[in-house]
Amino acid sequence: MNDFTMTKDAAGIATIVWDCLERSMNVMNMEGMHQLDSFIDDALADETVRGIIITSGKKDFAGGMDLNVLADMKTTSGDSPAKGVFEGIMSMHKALRKIELAGMNAKTKKGGKPVAAVLPGTAMGIGFELPLSAHRIFAATNPKAKIGLPEIMVGLFPGAGGTTRLVRKLGAMGASPYLLEGKSLAPAKAKSAGLIDEVSDDPMNDARTWVLSAKDADLIKPWDAKGYKMPGGGPYHPSGFMTFVAASAMVNGKTQGAFPATKALLSAIYEGAQVPFETALRIEARWFTNVIMNPSSTAMIRSLFINKQALEKGAVRPSNVADQRVKKIGVLGAGMMGAGIALVSAQAGMDVILIDQKQKAADKGKAYSEAYMNKRIKRGKATSEKKAALLSRITATTDYNALKDADLIIEAVFEDSKIKATVTKAVEAAIPDDCIFASNTSTLPISDLAKASSRPEQFIGIHFFSPVERMMLVEIIKGKETEDRAVAKALDYVRQIRKTPIVVNDARFFYANRCIIPYINEGMRLVAEGVSPALVDNAARMLGFPVGPLQLVDETSIDLGAKIARATKLAMGNDYPDGAVDDVLFWMENQGRIGRKAKAGFFEYDDAGKRHGYWEGLSEKYPLLDQQPDLIEVQHRLMFVQVLEAVRALEDGVLMDIREGDVGAILGWGFAPWSGGPLSWLDILGTPYAANRCKELQAAHGDRFYCPNLLQEMADKGQSFYGRFSSATKAA
Ligand code: NAD
């Protein structure tokens, strides 16, 4: 494998080209790093070489480190994994530092060879850390290119010198959007922000000119020059002090300390800022090792990168079905969900027929797309031409005949099986025979809805989350009779709208709501027991959930919760387990405190709908316990009640693939992302501990914590989910 090649020309320029032959995007692994390092040695030692250009043979520079390598690093690093990981990272630091010092005399800083990085397109992760070690970065004028350090998004941080170099280049404050938020920029903006040096139509030519004329002084990085001071000051500088204190508070406010990589990153920045550059690199490597050794990083990389991508690329798509890409979609019901579905479909270039009972309602649904595009134009993210093109693709009407050449229908009318049945029949009278019909129902079993259809094999669930344009998960539900072509159609559609699909079998509440509802219910149970609402919500937020269960039920509305509870009770009869929850739910509903939309729920709201403190009336009805429970006890109740449902979904065959269970939970309802998802979390805990904890929770709080047979069996055998089920998921 040769990911790098080097050529030397008559002018004395050694050009190192990065081109991973078996991939469409360059990614770095240890072998590639070693090859690059050998070429650098060669070029530095060769007297005929005056300077070096590092570039790519592809349209982009590089996508980053091969995350599979990082995920496996600790298992492939021998008997002393932390030492092995640290040494591996330090070998990368040494190679990049060699580029930076470029053979110059350590004392006089003279005699080095200029190294330029030329980026034809996107340069992310180590694809930007490598250029950061060069002396000058040239990028092509390519508005589609992205330059940045996105590691934090998958539970890592830039560990190949990117953290140390960017902080020294831009200062802690300047570097924070790129390091802490993983923000990336197009080349022109990256230049204005000081991330790169030049942007032009012919960066290769400009780099050559620069290399041939560079002086000794041009090769000295600010942090290697005498008297270097960090922009904005270090932690003990008066203004630097403000930055560091504020950053720490802000980051902890946002993450609640639940993300190990963010904490490690802040530590690497803070500690690294107080020591010489080389020591800072060692500190960065130690913190990076710490993150890699934490099971959270492996779980996050696995779910948020490797498996998420595998699902997006069709890992679970029936392979025997030809391309089912959608050209014309019919959306029935132009309410909150229908309007969003119309928008994302039109954004993906499909023609959309948006139907409601009255023209006014259909128009209102289309106006949602208009308002959305207006907002984007205001923010400089869209143009009026784009808006006009998008709106021209949406036809708002009441006429079912407009569906005559549609190839996919998504129904999002009221959650009422009778209305849905009428709509299904009316639509099927108008659509072609091979058109797939999908329902966006959130609670009604697909196999029951399919009874209204004359072609149940073409009937499927495509369940979006609200708001459609922001939520990345789409849950696809197979009814009893749903055939492969319908599944393939749904998956191809989800791919077109660039969201992440999971495919599950039909059951009450499918997968996501099956887990979310117990989470919300456990929150309300805790309140009914006299646990402080603040403790309930904060316990969840400290686990990395975006909102606690009480805030979540306020957002989704308490009357909806009550409606679902009544319908569930009706369907389950004596098996219905949630009486204690209903006390709270129905009482809140009776008080008219139905959530944010009524500006009254578990929280108080002002007239503008801004949330204030918890409503005091709650503790009058449910007096607070004198002795509040331990934080971990509350957290375990909130976590276990969801993950046990995920295990049961797997046991029942609703979940067919553990990857979908984990990715779906993080994207669907923000399940503690640091854990990699519910099944990854059980693996982190270890199934024997988890099974034992179930018993304790069951004894203390009730049968909903009963340990599922599957989990008990795995605990007895000492198995993990990714160990036991990984053969089924190797396709990734
Ligand atoms: P909504 O009340 O905002 O919109 C429903 C729309 O359907 C209304 O505009 C109504 O006029 C229209 N409609 C009703 N009967 C019709 C008919 N016979 N023909 C054409 N149009 C008709 O509801 P919503 O929140 O958009 O939910 C729609 C569906 O999506 C429901 O099945 C719901 O369970 C599901 N869903 C909702 C959410 C959510 O968060 N709101 C999330 C996932 C799924």
Side-chain angles (χ1 to χ4, degrees):
M1 187 195 71
N2 281 319
D3 289 351
F4 289 86
T5 49
M6 182 167 75
T7 50
K8 297 171 187 170
D9 64 19
I13 295 182
T15 305
I16 299 176
V17 178
W18 190 358
D19 196 350
C20 300
L21 294 180
E22 278 151 31
R23 294 177 180 261
S24 55
M25 174 72 97
N26 289 330
V27 291
M28 186 69 89
N29 55 29
M30 294 317 242
E31 225 177 310
M33 201 69 195
H34 188 68
Q35 280 171 17
L36 171 67
D37 192 36
S38 310
F39 284 132
I40 296 290
D41 280 337
D42 175 332
L44 291 180
D46 186 340
E47 284 177 5
T48 67
V49 171
R50 292 173 58 189
I52 303 167
I53 293 177
I54 304 173
T55 188
S56 153
K58 301 196 188 294
K59 70 177 176 39
D60 290 312
F61 185 67
M65 194 73 192
D66 184 340
L67 287 179
N68 288 291
V69 174
L70 285 182
D72 291 343
M73 218 166 175
K74 62 173 170 263
T75 44
T76 54
S77 289
D79 296 341
S80 177
K83 189 164 175 271
V85 171
F86 177 71
E87 282 167 3
I89 311 279
M90 281 311 292
S91 72
M92 290 206 277
H93 280 313
K94 278 194 193 111
L96 297 187
R97 186 67 175 145
K98 192 188 292 169
I99 292 174
E100 191 158 58
L101 296 177
M104 66 178 72
N105 179 298
K107 279 210 177 112
T108 62
K109 305 246 181 327
K110 290 194 164 70
K113 295 186 182 182
V115 183
V118 174
L119 318 179
T122 288
M124 299 286 262
I126 196 156
F128 182 47
E129 292 182 287
L130 165 57
L132 277 174
S133 70
H135 303 120
R136 206 154 179 84
I137 308 174
F138 298 81
T141 321
N142 176 352
K144 287 207 170 134
K146 283 183 174 171
I147 296 173
L149 299 166
E151 286 85 345
I152 202 74
M153 321 249 235
V154 287
L156 295 170
F157 72 88
T163 297
T164 303
R165 288 195 174 87
L166 205 66
V167 168
R168 274 170 164 71
K169 201 172 161 80
L170 305 180
M173 178 82 101
S176 65
Y178 314 106
L179 295 174
L180 284 166
E181 294 163 30
K183 183 176 173 187
S184 59
L185 298 176
K189 284 197 172 152
K191 184 182 169 194
S192 327
L195 296 180
I196 60 171
D197 302 298
E198 305 287 349
V199 181
S200 74
D201 292 338
D202 192 353
M204 200 60 191
N205 190 45
D206 296 349
R208 288 181 65 82
T209 310
W210 180 81
V211 164
L212 294 175
S213 62
K215 311 256 173 337
D216 282 332
D218 295 334
L219 314 191
I220 305 170
K221 288 290 177 67
W223 44 91
D224 286 323
K226 236 185 171 166
Y228 165 75
K229 287 208 169 59
M230 184 179 290
Y236 290 107
H237 182 276
S239 60
F241 174 79
M242 298 298 287
T243 305
F244 278 89
V245 170
S248 172
M250 255 169 55
V251 169
N252 278 302
K254 264 191 183 171
T255 63
Q256 302 287 317
F259 293 81
T262 315
K263 240 177 176 169
L265 168 63
L266 274 183
S267 302
I269 296 174
Y270 177 80
E271 293 166 17
Q274 303 174 56
V275 293
F277 185 78
E278 307 266 358
T279 316
L281 285 182
R282 288 181 77 79
I283 289 174
E284 184 191 298
R286 289 218 189 279
W287 278 114
F288 192 77
T289 305
N290 177 291
V291 170
I292 289 284
M293 293 307 296
N294 190 319
S296 161
S297 68
T298 317
M300 268 183 97
I301 293 171
R302 187 175 58 206
S303 289
L304 287 176
F305 182 77
I306 299 170
N307 291 342
K308 175 174 172 289
Q309 242 181 30
L311 295 176
E312 286 162 1
K313 284 185 181 163
V316 296
R317 185 187 187 281
S319 53
N320 55 337
V321 183
D323 188 355
Q324 293 292 318
R325 244 171 299 187
V326 177
K327 292 188 191 69
K328 190 169 201 173
I329 183 170
V331 180
L332 270 292
M336 186 165 101
M337 298 304 285
I341 296 167
L343 166 62
V344 298
S345 304
Q347 271 181 317
M350 290 166 221
D351 288 326
V352 182
I353 306 295
L354 180 58
I355 293 189
D356 210 298
Q357 291 160 300
K358 299 255 162 62
Q359 186 61 40
K360 209 170 150 194
D363 290 340
K364 190 173 164 215
K366 179 170 173 175
Y368 185 76
S369 288
E370 187 171 6
Y372 174 85
M373 289 306 282
N374 286 343
K375 245 189 255 160
R376 284 185 67 83
I377 293 172
K378 224 173 171 183
R379 289 194 199 135
K381 295 201 163 162
T383 58
S384 32
E385 291 76 34
K386 275 206 169 142
K387 173 180 140 187
L390 184 138
L391 292 178
S392 74
R393 287 194 283 273
I394 304 177
T395 307
T397 179
T398 56
D399 180 8
Y400 281 46
N401 286 325
L403 300 173
K404 67 177 185 307
D405 50 356
D407 52 316
L408 175 69
I409 302 293
I410 299 184
E411 161 286 294
V413 300
F414 296 138
E415 188 74 338
D416 178 312
S417 42
K418 279 199 200 104
I419 297 177
K420 287 195 191 287
T422 313
V423 167
T424 305
K425 290 197 168 82
V427 168
E428 285 188 357
I431 54 177
D433 286 346
D434 59 353
C435 178
I436 301 292
F437 187 104
S439 172
N440 178 47
T441 177
S442 34
T443 57
L444 304 168
I446 291 300
S447 308
D448 290 351
L449 293 179
K451 286 180 186 149
S453 167
S454 58
R455 30 186 145 155
E457 72 286 355
Q458 289 178 198
F459 196 102
I460 193 161
I462 300 186
H463 179 212
F464 284 86
F465 296 79
S466 174
V468 175
E469 62 280 10
R470 282 229 311 271
M471 297 299 285
M472 292 314 293
L473 184 74
V474 179
E475 191 174 22
I476 294 170
I477 303 112
K478 278 172 78 170
K480 276 197 196 88
E481 295 180 64
T482 308
E483 285 183 357
D484 278 357
R485 195 174 68 81
V487 177
K489 185 92 191 174
L491 283 168
D492 290 354
Y493 168 68
V494 173
R495 192 170 179 175
Q496 281 174 279
I497 59 170
R498 293 165 179 257
K499 295 197 185 281
T500 310
I502 61 170
V503 181
V504 300
N505 277 318
D506 198 15
R508 177 167 296 281
F509 302 136
F510 320 129
Y511 172 60
N513 283 338
R514 177 178 180 155
C515 300
I516 300 170
I517 292 169
Y519 168 60
I520 292 178
N521 285 355
E522 198 63 26
M524 289 190 283
R525 260 177 216 280
L526 282 155
V527 168
E529 290 170 21
V531 177
S532 149
L535 174 55
V536 174
D537 275 348
N538 285 337
R541 293 186 58 233
M542 288 166 80
L543 286 165
F545 285 87
V547 292
L550 303 176
Q551 191 183 334
L552 184 58
V553 72
D554 257 14
E555 300 287 338
T556 52
S557 94
I558 285 163
D559 53 333
L560 176 68
K563 195 174 152 204
I564 294 174
R566 280 188 203 101
T568 314
K569 203 169 182 172
L570 201 66
M572 291 184 76
N574 289 339
D575 292 339
Y576 183 71
D578 287 324
V581 176
D582 293 351
D583 274 358
V584 184
L585 202 58
F586 296 153
W587 180 73
M588 289 289 284
E589 191 188 29
N590 283 337
Q591 302 292 309
R593 299 201 67 94
I594 57 171
R596 187 192 200 106
K597 66 181 180 188
K599 301 196 180 100
F602 286 102
F603 285 89
E604 301 272 26
Y605 298 84
D606 62 20
D607 288 344
K610 189 170 180 291
R611 207 176 46 252
H612 289 274
Y614 289 94
W615 175 50
E616 286 189 354
L618 198 59
S619 54
E620 281 163 25
K621 168 85 176 162
Y622 299 106
L624 293 181
L625 290 172
D626 290 339
Q627 180 71 39
Q628 289 289 308
D630 184 64
L631 172 69
I632 301 286
E633 185 73 5
V634 176
Q635 289 184 323
H636 275 188
R637 284 179 64 175
L638 294 174
M639 284 290 261
F640 271 90
V641 84
Q642 299 172 68
V643 301
L644 294 182
E645 220 37 65
V647 174
R648 287 181 199 117
L650 184 65
E651 207 169 33
D652 298 350
V654 172
L655 267 183
M656 289 174 274
D657 184 322
I658 55 170
R659 294 176 296 182
E660 296 179 300
D662 275 350
V663 174
I666 300 178
L667 300 188
W669 71 96
F671 183 92
W674 56 267
S675 70
L679 303 164
S680 288
W681 186 63
L682 288 173
D683 278 358
I684 291 175
L685 289 182
T687 51
Y689 172 82
N692 193 45
R693 195 72 187 98
C694 286
K695 287 189 192 110
E696 292 168 1
L697 290 168
Q698 183 186 4
H701 307 292
D703 283 347
R704 63 195 179 283
F705 293 105
Y706 170 77
C707 182
N709 294 343
L710 173 64
L711 179 58
Q712 187 61 56
E713 182 202 321
M714 290 174 64
D716 294 342
K717 293 181 178 162
Q719 290 174 330
S720 68
F721 284 89
Y722 279 83
R724 173 163 170 157
F725 294 100
S726 65
S727 58
T729 67
K730 273 284 184 264

